[in-house]
Amino acid sequence: MSRKCELTGVGVQFGNNVSHSQRKTRRRFEPNIKIVKCHSELTGQEYKLKVVARCLRSIEKAGGFDSYMLNAKVFKMSDNAKSIRKEIKKIKYKVAA
């Protein structure tokens, strides 16, 4: 199970623990991954995604899951998220026409 957000691409970072004596040892900074079910109003389905907690705030700020998916950067998304975005986009433009 990779520690990576499916929507933003945020993953594990590496750095150092620095003690009082300035000794440096390597460590991992893991993202705050949550497994959530996001409901799409356009498709009427729920999608299970691994998302960073900060991204959940971004979804709320964007006005919901559908609007976030339509405005998000595609090159950072996982293949699963790209296919969800494609479904949402297809239905949105079918309704608009």
Side-chain angles (χ1 to χ4, degrees), residues 8-57:
T8 60
V10 172
V12 176
Q13 294 180 335
F14 296 93
N16 291 320
N17 275 336
V18 182
S19 68
H20 179 70
S21 65
Q22 297 298 310
R23 172 172 270 170
K24 294 163 183 70
T25 55
R26 297 301 283 176
R27 64 162 290 183
R28 291 165 49 111
F29 293 95
E30 295 192 356
N32 188 10
I33 299 278
K34 303 292 181 192
I35 298 174
V36 295
K37 290 181 183 176
C38 296
H39 179 73
S40 171
E41 295 173 0
L42 291 174
T43 62
Q45 295 180 346
E46 280 192 350
Y47 301 101
K48 195 172 182 182
L49 297 168
K50 291 191 304 181
V51 179
V52 177
R54 188 181 72 209
C55 183
L56 291 174
R57 294 181 66 198

Side-chain angles (χ1 to χ4, degrees), residues 68-83:
Y68 177 83
M69 290 298 283
L70 291 172
N71 296 324
K73 295 181 179 172
V74 180
F75 66 91
K76 293 183 178 181
M77 291 185 185
S78 68
D79 293 335
N80 182 26
K82 286 179 187 176
S83 64

